[in-house]
Amino acid sequence: MPDPAGIIRVGGFESLSLCDWPGEIVATVFCQGCPWDCSYCHNPGLLPATGEQELPWQDILQFLGTRRGLLDGVVFSGGEPTLQRGLGVAMAQVRAMGFRIGLHTGGAYPRRLAEVLSLVDWVGLDIKVAFADYQRITRVAGSGARARESLELLLSSGVDYELRTTVSPELFDDKALADLKRDLAAFTIGKHKIQECRPVISQGH
Ligand code: SF4
């Protein structure tokens, strides 16, 4: 069980964001910890399971209490939010305050994703590359199978979503793009956004 005072470990917080959930005005919680190690990760401080400067979850809840009626929702980003056992409890707390819930994930923990999908209104799922090629990006064996399982869970849940692929020129050539498109063609995909790698952006994935 997570520490009731902590619930989840938070490495950063954006009190107002217009870009983390398309069309929604949100606050964004950057969850601490990620099991993957993408070379282009712009937020390496969020990768260790425990951060050097964590923000108390209770303080964030208190702040959100002052934003009722002003924000459409709250996005849980990272890092990898589904790393944390307390994610569902934290989402339920925020939902009970009247906010809609968004989730950014790379799909590293399909079982936890399945646990929280009923609490989520929108998912931004990071699809890094063709599933067989994931380890080249994440530097973790088996990561592609986990991402694929998460995609299947998301698509069968009916939860609104956007798939996002970050194209880094050094890691992503024409063949890699063709392989990814072939993989995704096996699914009925609604929204897939390909974005260029930027040196500094405000979210974990
Ligand atoms: S880019 Fe996302 S999945 Fe990759 S290491 Fe960074 S936080 Fe983890």
Side-chain angles (χ1 to χ4, degrees):
M1 281 294 289
D3 171 6
I7 304 296
I8 56 169
R9 296 180 307 285
V10 177
F13 181 66
E14 183 69 55
S15 58
L16 180 66
S17 171
L18 304 179
C19 61
D20 284 336
W21 182 348
E24 307 284 326
I25 300 171
V26 302
T28 303
V29 176
F30 295 95
C31 299
Q32 185 69 40
C34 179
W36 293 348
D37 185 23
C38 309
S39 60
Y40 55 70
C41 184
H42 50 268
N43 230 339
L46 286 175
L47 302 193
T50 303
E52 287 180 11
Q53 290 182 324
E54 294 186 6
L55 305 173
W57 177 239
Q58 292 302 334
D59 289 0
I60 290 171
L61 285 179
Q62 206 171 4
F63 173 83
L64 290 174
T66 69
R67 290 299 184 270
R68 285 188 173 101
L70 300 173
L71 297 173
D72 299 318
V74 174
V75 171
F76 289 80
S77 185
E80 175 50 64
T82 59
L83 171 77
Q84 300 201 40
R85 283 197 200 100
L87 180 64
V89 174
M91 284 178 164
Q93 288 178 324
V94 174
R95 200 172 180 82
M97 298 172 81
F99 297 106
R100 301 178 74 221
I101 303 291
L103 171 66
H104 292 168
T105 179
Y109 295 96
R111 262 190 282 174
R112 184 142 309 122
L113 177 66
E115 281 169 24
V116 302
L117 274 173
S118 64
L119 297 163
V120 172
D121 298 288
W122 174 85
V123 176
L125 177 62
D126 195 25
I127 298 290
K128 295 190 177 298
V129 70
F131 296 114
D133 203 17
Y134 253 63
Q135 187 172 349
R136 186 170 61 83
I137 305 287
T138 64
R139 301 190 268 209
V140 173
S143 48
R146 285 167 172 258
R148 185 187 176 102
E149 188 179 349
S150 290
L151 174 61
E152 289 169 351
L153 285 165
L154 175 60
L155 294 179
S156 63
S157 73
V159 174
D160 191 20
Y161 68 90
E162 180 179 84
L163 308 186
R164 292 100 61 86
T165 300
T166 300
V167 175
S168 161
E170 317 84 64
L171 296 170
F172 219 106
D173 58 13
D174 289 349
K175 180 182 180 308
L177 192 57
D179 289 347
L180 170 62
K181 287 183 174 171
R182 190 199 57 234
D183 270 11
L184 294 186
F187 301 93
T188 304
I189 302 290
K191 289 153 273 184
H192 181 213
K193 187 163 106 188
I194 294 178
Q195 57 200 11
E196 289 198 13
C197 189
R198 287 172 290 166
V200 177
I201 57 176
S202 65
Q203 63 193 47
H205 291 285

